[in-house]
Amino acid sequence: MTFFDHLLGGIASGSVIALMAIALVLVWRSTRVVNFAQVGQAMFTTFLALAVYRGTGNWLISLIAAILAGAILGLIVHFLVMRPVRRQDGSGAIIATFGVLIALQASASMIWGVDPQAYPPIVDIIGFEAFGRTWPFSRYDVLVLGVTVLLVLLLSVVFTRTSLGLRMRASAFNPTVARLSGVRVSQMLALGWALAGSIGAIAGVLIAPTFSVTPYSFDILLILAFTVAVIGGLDSLVGAVAFGIGTGLVLSLVSGYSDSGNASIVALVLLALNLLLKPEGVFAHHHSRSV
Amino acid sequence: MLRIENLSVSYGAIQALNDVSLEVPPGRVTAVIGANGAGKSTLMRTLAGLEKPQSGQVIFNGEVISGRKPEDIVRMGIALVPEGRSTISELSVEDNLKLGGMWRSHAQRNASLTRVYSLFPILKERHHMGADTLSGGERQQLAIGRALMTGPQLLLLDEPSLGLAPLIVTQILELVALMARDSGLAVLLVEQNATVALRIARTGVVLNLGEVAGSGTSAELLASEELRHIYLGTGS
């Protein structure tokens, strides 16, 4: 395996990390809460999608089921857990998201068990063959990258070119001025949670075929997406995408040249360095943030 | 147009407004003056729905609006320009304006945008720039422009002179007074700077420690003992 091979192998996982980081950014922007349950929600909807896939045999239907379930689960978490605790200070809300994560993992263990399950890929997960060798890049990687690029483009068009996007951005940046302008900020907030839930669900379904699905196998994704979102500046979609894919590449190099177990350590080292050197995030709008 | 009846607002144990009654007629500027902590901003925030009254009510065009949400009150025709520069610095000038009155029809919003740009040409010139690149006076124009985009019948201006050069304040306020006279817009202007406020307002109310300490025409208020007492600590 060459250096280039390792880079190529990191693109798809980087895309999934980027999607998960986008979900965190969407919730952070509208509520100023890091939703540690996001990955738990994605795990739960991936199990649901797997059940739908086994029932229907149709991958696309299972993906749509995950997207819908992700939105609904996002709304449930928002209305049942986050709204009641919003009067608390910030740490109360963050602890609540951990509570949701634990509850989701426990429920998934009871419903689907803790034994690893295989999520069959829709297209070939074995790398392309060309020039007499197998490359570490498969049809499935193309699909993952394609879906990610499409989603990011769609989101940026919605956010920058539509009136809904303007209302969502205004609600995130300055809820008081948004309300005084007539924007129903509480609806935008709920929409943000639903959207984040759906994007997380897509990320879950996309990454599932690359590892064994258990209620706890998504935890590494939480560490990586959190790191990426914080380094990217938490406010920035561009930051989430750039650092998501970048982190995928770095981790692929790390596990290629040392051991895959070192990946999360490297992520935490990157996070620590970022908090020491540029705590507001590389792509942040605001230039002061307490950590 | 707007009638405030026996309005009381408190923050916990602190009584910010106590039994305030006041009428705001259309087509002119009404000033609310008073020292720091007199309850002026609380009054404006309550009218816009950001604070809930403890007792009393606010009636706008025959409808009770006190206790309603800000996003509903602005739809009924009351727009607040809050204290400080109430612009969203992460958005462009034009996006700040477009944010105002999104529930209105395309034609109405386009007409409002044209009007705001003709009132404040500098905003048209800078429409693609970030709101954070504007000067203080330009940002205040943007904040007023955003409020006008909602198509208000009543404009609430909270301390527009704060931190601005006197010349710019005069320009902006004279524009507002002209707008009130020409289009029938009611303006409630809150100011700590009484001379500035009373120069463009026809009538005014003096707030002191959350209560109405006096009211009358601008000329009467400028000559009044009460005003002197509150501002200068003389008289009895």
Side-chain angles (χ1 to χ4, degrees), chain A residues 52-102:
Chain A
V52 171
Y53 186 59
R54 283 175 181 156
T56 62
N58 188 321
W59 185 81
L60 196 62
I61 291 179
S62 75
L63 179 67
I64 292 169
I67 294 171
L68 291 177
I72 293 168
L73 195 54
L75 288 175
I76 290 175
V77 174
H78 170 58
F79 283 108
L80 255 51
V81 183
M82 300 316 292
R83 267 174 75 106
V85 301
R86 75 185 153 168
R87 302 237 179 269
Q88 313 273 322
D89 58 6
S91 55
I94 291 168
I95 291 166
T97 68
F98 272 114
V100 172
L101 175 64
I102 293 166

Side-chain angles (χ1 to χ4, degrees), chain B residues 88-183:
Chain B
I88 301 182
S89 45
E90 292 89 346
L91 300 180
S92 72
V93 169
E94 187 147 298
D95 277 349
N96 265 281
L97 291 174
K98 281 185 170 167
L99 189 64
M102 281 198 153
W103 71 91
R104 302 170 75 211
S105 78
H106 203 65
Q108 284 174 321
R109 296 174 58 210
N110 273 341
S112 290
L113 191 63
T114 310
R115 184 151 164 261
V116 169
Y117 279 155
S118 70
L119 280 169
F120 306 117
I122 190 77
L123 297 182
K124 187 172 189 180
E125 221 169 274
R126 309 247 155 122
H127 71 282
H128 268 314
M129 297 175 70
D132 54 343
T133 65
L134 300 182
S135 71
E138 290 161 358
R139 239 182 273 182
Q140 190 59 272
Q141 295 177 32
L142 180 57
I144 295 172
R146 180 195 56 75
L148 291 176
M149 286 295 293
T150 66
Q153 298 170 49
L154 170 62
L155 185 64
L156 307 172
L157 292 177
D158 195 356
E159 299 266 10
S161 74
L162 211 67
L164 295 185
L167 188 68
I168 295 167
V169 175
T170 310
Q171 278 173 359
I172 293 179
L173 289 184
E174 274 172 3
L175 213 58
V176 167
L178 211 68
M179 212 156 52
R181 203 190 59 203
D182 293 348
S183 65

Side-chain angles (χ1 to χ4, degrees), chain B residues 7-38:
Chain B
L7 194 67
S8 296
V9 181
S10 65
Y11 301 110
I14 300 158
Q15 190 79 30
L17 285 180
N18 189 17
D19 203 26
V20 169
S21 295
L22 159 69
E23 288 216 34
V24 183
R28 61 167 119 141
V29 179
T30 305
V32 177
I33 51 181
N36 229 343

Side-chain angles (χ1 to χ4, degrees), chain A residues 167 179-182 184 286, chain B residues 71-72 74-75 90 101 146:
Chain A
R167 278 182 283 161
R179 292 186 81 188
L180 289 173
S181 305
R184 301 203 182 279
H286 302 289
Chain B
E71 53 268 38
D72 291 322
V74 70
R75 279 174 166 75
E90 292 89 346
R146 180 195 56 75

Side-chain angles (χ1 to χ4, degrees), chain B residues 185-205:
Chain B
L185 182 74
V187 178
L188 191 61
L189 170 67
V190 153
E191 265 296 341
Q192 204 173 327
N193 186 338
T195 354
V196 168
L198 292 175
R199 204 162 55 217
I200 75 147
R202 198 180 311 169
T203 55
V205 174

Side-chain angles (χ1 to χ4, degrees), chain A residues 145-190:
Chain A
L145 184 63
V147 170
T148 305
V149 169
L150 209 70
L151 262 179
V152 170
L153 287 178
L154 196 72
L155 278 177
S156 59
V157 167
V158 167
F159 275 114
T160 58
R161 298 261 181 271
T162 69
S163 80
L164 179 69
L166 178 57
R167 278 182 283 161
M168 288 188 78
R169 278 187 299 152
S171 305
F173 292 135
N174 194 332
T176 305
V177 169
R179 292 186 81 188
L180 289 173
S181 305
V183 177
R184 301 203 182 279
V185 171
S186 56
Q187 285 177 9
M188 296 300 116
L189 219 81

Side-chain angles (χ1 to χ4, degrees), chain A residues 148-289:
Chain A
T148 305
V149 169
L150 209 70
L151 262 179
V152 170
L153 287 178
L154 196 72
L155 278 177
S156 59
V157 167
V158 167
F159 275 114
T160 58
R161 298 261 181 271
T162 69
S163 80
L164 179 69
L166 178 57
R167 278 182 283 161
M168 288 188 78
R169 278 187 299 152
S171 305
F173 292 135
N174 194 332
T176 305
V177 169
R179 292 186 81 188
L180 289 173
S181 305
V183 177
R184 301 203 182 279
V185 171
S186 56
Q187 285 177 9
M188 296 300 116
L189 219 81
L191 192 62
W193 277 85
L195 197 59
S198 289
I199 290 168
I202 294 172
V205 168
L206 287 180
I207 202 167
T210 65
F211 58 51
S212 332
V213 178
T214 78
Y216 301 95
S217 58
F218 289 75
D219 288 0
I220 177 71
L221 205 54
L222 170 63
I223 298 171
L224 298 179
F226 175 66
T227 304
V228 165
V230 170
I231 295 178
L234 273 173
D235 266 324
S236 167
L237 290 179
V238 179
V241 175
F243 283 100
I245 293 180
T247 304
L249 301 183
V250 169
L251 294 184
S252 182
L253 288 174
V254 168
S255 38
Y257 286 113
S258 62
D259 183 275
S260 61
N262 292 338
S264 54
I265 297 173
V266 169
L268 290 174
V269 169
L270 284 176
L271 180 63
L273 280 177
N274 168 252
L275 292 179
L276 281 172
L277 300 175
K278 203 166 182 337
E280 73 275 20
V282 177
F283 282 81
H285 274 294
H286 302 289
H287 298 289
S288 64
R289 199 174 81 216

